Short mmCIF file of all heavy atoms in Angstrom, two decimals:
data_model
loop_
_atom_site.label_atom_id
_atom_site.label_comp_id
_atom_site.label_asym_id
_atom_site.label_seq_id
_atom_site.Cartn_x
_atom_site.Cartn_y
_atom_site.Cartn_z
N ALA N 71 179.07 105.59 -73.68
CA ALA N 71 180.39 105.63 -73.07
C ALA N 71 181.31 106.47 -73.95
O ALA N 71 181.24 106.42 -75.18
CB ALA N 71 180.95 104.22 -72.91
N GLY N 73 184.02 107.67 -76.23
CA GLY N 73 184.87 106.98 -77.18
C GLY N 73 184.28 105.69 -77.72
O GLY N 73 184.91 105.01 -78.51
N ALA N 74 183.06 105.33 -77.30
CA ALA N 74 182.45 104.08 -77.77
C ALA N 74 181.89 104.30 -79.16
O ALA N 74 181.21 105.28 -79.43
CB ALA N 74 181.33 103.65 -76.83
N ALA N 75 182.22 103.41 -80.05
CA ALA N 75 181.71 103.48 -81.41
C ALA N 75 180.97 102.20 -81.73
O ALA N 75 181.31 101.13 -81.23
CB ALA N 75 182.86 103.68 -82.40
N SER N 76 179.95 102.32 -82.56
CA SER N 76 179.18 101.15 -82.93
C SER N 76 178.79 101.27 -84.40
O SER N 76 178.22 102.27 -84.80
CB SER N 76 177.92 101.06 -82.08
OG SER N 76 177.07 100.06 -82.58
N ASP N 77 179.15 100.25 -85.18
CA ASP N 77 178.75 100.27 -86.58
C ASP N 77 177.34 99.75 -86.74
O ASP N 77 176.51 100.37 -87.37
CB ASP N 77 179.73 99.47 -87.43
CG ASP N 77 181.10 100.14 -87.48
OD1 ASP N 77 181.14 101.38 -87.34
OD2 ASP N 77 182.10 99.43 -87.64
N ASP N 78 177.05 98.60 -86.18
CA ASP N 78 175.70 98.06 -86.27
C ASP N 78 175.25 97.43 -84.96
O ASP N 78 174.10 97.10 -84.80
CB ASP N 78 175.59 97.02 -87.39
CG ASP N 78 175.61 97.67 -88.75
OD1 ASP N 78 175.15 98.83 -88.87
OD2 ASP N 78 176.08 97.03 -89.71
N GLY N 79 176.14 97.25 -84.03
CA GLY N 79 175.81 96.63 -82.76
C GLY N 79 175.34 97.65 -81.74
O GLY N 79 175.31 98.85 -82.01
N PRO N 80 175.01 97.18 -80.56
CA PRO N 80 174.58 98.11 -79.52
C PRO N 80 175.73 99.00 -79.05
O PRO N 80 176.88 98.59 -79.04
CB PRO N 80 174.10 97.18 -78.39
CG PRO N 80 174.69 95.85 -78.69
CD PRO N 80 174.98 95.80 -80.16
N VAL N 81 175.40 100.21 -78.72
CA VAL N 81 176.39 101.17 -78.25
C VAL N 81 176.70 100.90 -76.78
O VAL N 81 175.78 100.66 -75.99
CB VAL N 81 175.85 102.61 -78.42
CG1 VAL N 81 176.80 103.64 -77.82
CG2 VAL N 81 175.58 102.91 -79.88
N ALA N 82 177.96 100.93 -76.43
CA ALA N 82 178.35 100.77 -75.03
C ALA N 82 177.88 102.00 -74.26
O ALA N 82 178.01 103.13 -74.73
CB ALA N 82 179.85 100.60 -74.92
N LEU N 146 170.71 107.72 -75.41
CA LEU N 146 171.57 106.71 -76.03
C LEU N 146 172.35 107.24 -77.22
O LEU N 146 173.18 106.55 -77.77
CB LEU N 146 170.73 105.50 -76.42
CG LEU N 146 169.97 104.87 -75.25
CD1 LEU N 146 169.15 103.70 -75.68
CD2 LEU N 146 170.92 104.49 -74.13
N GLN N 147 172.09 108.46 -77.61
CA GLN N 147 172.87 109.13 -78.66
C GLN N 147 173.33 110.46 -78.12
O GLN N 147 172.57 111.15 -77.47
CB GLN N 147 172.02 109.37 -79.90
CG GLN N 147 171.46 108.11 -80.54
CD GLN N 147 172.53 107.31 -81.24
OE1 GLN N 147 173.46 107.84 -81.78
NE2 GLN N 147 172.38 105.99 -81.21
#
Side-chain angles (χ1 to χ4, degrees):
S76 171
D77 292 333
D78 287 330
V81 175
L146 303 179
Q147 300 288 327

